Amino acid sequence: MRAVVWLVLLFTAAVVAALLLGRNDGLVSLYWDGWRLEMSLNLFVFSLLAFVVLLVTVLQAVSSLVSLPARAREWRALRHERAAQAALREALAELFAARYTRAHKAAQKALAIDLARPRGEPDHELQVLAHLLSAISLHRLQDRRQRDEQMQRARALRRAGAARAADDGAQLLAAEWAVEDLDAPRALELLGELPAGVARRTQALRLRLQAQRLAGQSLEALRTARLLAKHQGFSTLAARGLLRSLALMALDDTHDVDQVQRVWQQLDSADQQDAYVAARAARRAAAFGDAALARSWLRPLWERLGELGADEREQVALALLHAVDGIGTDWLPRLEAALGAHAQEPAVVAAVGVAFAERQLWGKARAPLEQAARALGLDAVARRRAWRALARVARAQGDEDRAAACDAAAAAID
């Protein structure tokens, strides 16, 4: 098809030339200092075209000759750039192949080639990437001194105009290595220097979470984990388990009831409705002498005890067992309902029995306490508490021998 088009154009040009140049009856006369030159119009046109072509060719030749030094410099710069890029690609390939010594050498070679440019501005982005590849290789080789030196050089290039993305990458890598070195303050410092947009990225949030857990900042770690879960940084099941463990850690770090209450208030509503978290908070409050506060946190869960799983009911019941001191009569209907619905669960039975004993309802307390005391699968602390409550019941009923036997059984539990 292309040959046909060219053939049509050739015939068209021939027709146009025949029409315009077929009659060679024009005459061009040139006068110069008494001389006259006459030529046909066709010859004049062809001569003029030839002169123009010759002039353009001469001008292009002169221009090429004049620009030859500049083009030579550009060629040398391009050669250096290609060599540096090739060395950088080699470093990347060696790094992926786990040949870290070779990767470090290739990255240093790329730096040396870029610094040996004959003229022109250095490629700051290439230098940053080369320093980062070298630092990553040295990190794998456990050479922390040279690794930190390479990282410092990469970060210093920010002032020289390096790309923002490369600088953010260097910052994140430095934070990750600080976490691996168990240097939580350094990691948090580096993460705090990140721009707001970069700090919200999933990798930055993961590093912040690890650093906060390493530093023992349970509440801050809980907030970060909640943000990660919101951004789907974890699966639903993993997020639930992580949030629960961090909430438990935050509660375990408290040293008085005021701290427990502050931590509880800072927890999310979903955390407060978690049976494990509420039970741990109630235990901590009861351990610091505020059983009423502990029961107030357990009440919403106890009222929907049937909706909880067996393990969750056990946690709530054991927490109530530690918070029965001063329990009021308003709890009695709830306790009786729970005993009727979950009479085969030792933890619930033990909590109800101890609560009845606290209210001096000796007749109601005896049967559930005996059942709980003989439940070998029950928590040792709960069984010991049940035996001691049985001893109180026996003393209240005047049976000292039985009370002594119950005390001995409680003391025998490891």
Side-chain angles (χ1 to χ4, degrees), residues 219-234:
L219 275 177
E220 291 77 4
L222 180 59
R223 298 189 190 98
T224 305
R226 192 174 293 121
L227 189 59
L228 262 174
K230 180 180 178 182
H231 292 168
Q232 299 180 349
F234 305 109

Side-chain angles (χ1 to χ4, degrees), residues 14 45 47 66 100 115 119 134 153 186 215 247 266 282 312 345 408:
V45 171
S47 301
V66 171
Y100 303 119
L115 292 175
R119 281 191 179 182
S134 182
R153 291 179 180 178
R186 175 62 177 165
Q266 293 180 42
E312 293 175 326
E345 298 185 16

Side-chain angles (χ1 to χ4, degrees), residues 14 25-26 39 75 81-82 97 99 167 172 177 185 197 212 222 224 227 248 261 280 307 311 321 353 364 374 384:
D25 53 0
M39 67 182 70
W75 177 80
E81 182 178 353
R82 288 177 176 174
R99 293 192 286 262
D167 183 61
L172 286 172
W177 294 339
Q212 289 169 342
L222 180 59
T224 305
L227 189 59
L248 296 179
Q261 195 164 7
R280 184 67 60 86
E307 302 175 9
D311 294 339
L321 186 143
K364 287 186 176 183
R374 291 181 173 81
R384 192 180 301 116

Side-chain angles (χ1 to χ4, degrees), residues 9-268:
L9 291 176
L10 181 61
F11 278 113
T12 303
V15 171
V16 171
L19 291 175
L20 295 179
L21 305 176
R23 296 178 59 191
N24 193 13
D25 53 0
L27 186 66
V28 176
S29 299
L30 300 177
Y31 297 91
W32 177 259
D33 195 21
W35 293 86
R36 184 181 68 180
L37 177 64
E38 292 182 350
M39 67 182 70
S40 65
L41 179 60
N42 292 350
L43 179 60
F44 175 77
V45 171
F46 284 122
S47 301
L48 182 61
L49 290 176
F51 175 75
V52 170
V53 170
L54 179 61
L55 180 62
V56 170
T57 303
V58 171
L59 291 177
Q60 288 181 347
V62 172
S63 176
S64 299
L65 186 62
V66 171
S67 62
L68 186 60
R71 288 189 292 115
R73 288 193 299 268
E74 292 175 359
W75 177 80
R76 286 194 296 270
L78 182 60
R79 187 183 62 177
H80 276 80
E81 182 178 353
R82 288 177 176 174
Q85 293 288 345
L88 195 66
R89 289 193 297 270
E90 180 186 355
L92 192 60
E94 298 289 2
L95 180 65
F96 287 155
R99 293 192 286 262
Y100 303 119
T101 302
R102 294 184 182 181
H104 169 61
K105 291 180 179 178
Q108 293 300 309
K109 178 182 176 182
L111 281 170
I113 293 173
D114 187 73
L115 292 175
R117 285 171 178 261
R119 281 191 179 182
E121 289 292 328
D123 191 341
H124 295 298
E125 187 172 359
L126 184 144
Q127 291 183 13
V128 170
L129 293 176
H131 282 302
L132 289 181
L133 288 174
S134 182
I136 294 171
S137 303
L138 292 168
H139 175 72
R140 297 297 184 184
L141 294 170
Q142 298 296 314
D143 189 345
R144 296 182 180 178
R145 184 186 62 80
Q146 289 194 59
R147 177 202 71 184
D148 294 339
E149 180 181 345
Q150 292 294 323
M151 181 59 68
Q152 289 297 329
R153 291 179 180 178
R155 296 182 63 199
L157 286 171
R158 174 183 178 183
R159 296 187 296 270
R164 178 76 243 185
D167 183 61
D168 295 340
Q171 197 89 345
L172 286 172
L173 271 176
E176 181 179 352
W177 294 339
V179 171
E180 292 182 11
D181 294 341
L182 304 182
D183 191 353
R186 175 62 177 165
L188 291 173
E189 178 186 355
L190 290 168
L191 292 170
E193 295 174 0
L194 290 172
V198 181
R200 288 193 297 269
R201 294 174 186 170
T202 302
Q203 176 63 10
L205 291 175
R206 288 181 187 275
L207 292 174
R208 185 178 297 277
L209 174 61
Q210 295 176 20
Q212 289 169 342
R213 295 185 69 179
L214 188 62
Q217 301 176 1
S218 303
L219 275 177
E220 291 77 4
L222 180 59
R223 298 189 190 98
T224 305
R226 192 174 293 121
L227 189 59
L228 262 174
K230 180 180 178 182
H231 292 168
Q232 299 180 349
F234 305 109
S235 65
T236 303
L237 185 61
R240 185 183 302 116
L242 179 61
L243 292 173
R244 176 183 292 167
S245 65
L246 289 173
L248 296 179
M249 288 175 57
L251 290 167
D252 289 342
D253 290 339
T254 56
H255 302 290
D256 55 53
V257 69
D258 292 333
Q259 286 186 358
V260 176
Q261 195 164 7
R262 282 197 298 271
V263 171
W264 177 263
Q265 291 172 352
Q266 293 180 42
L267 294 178
D268 195 65

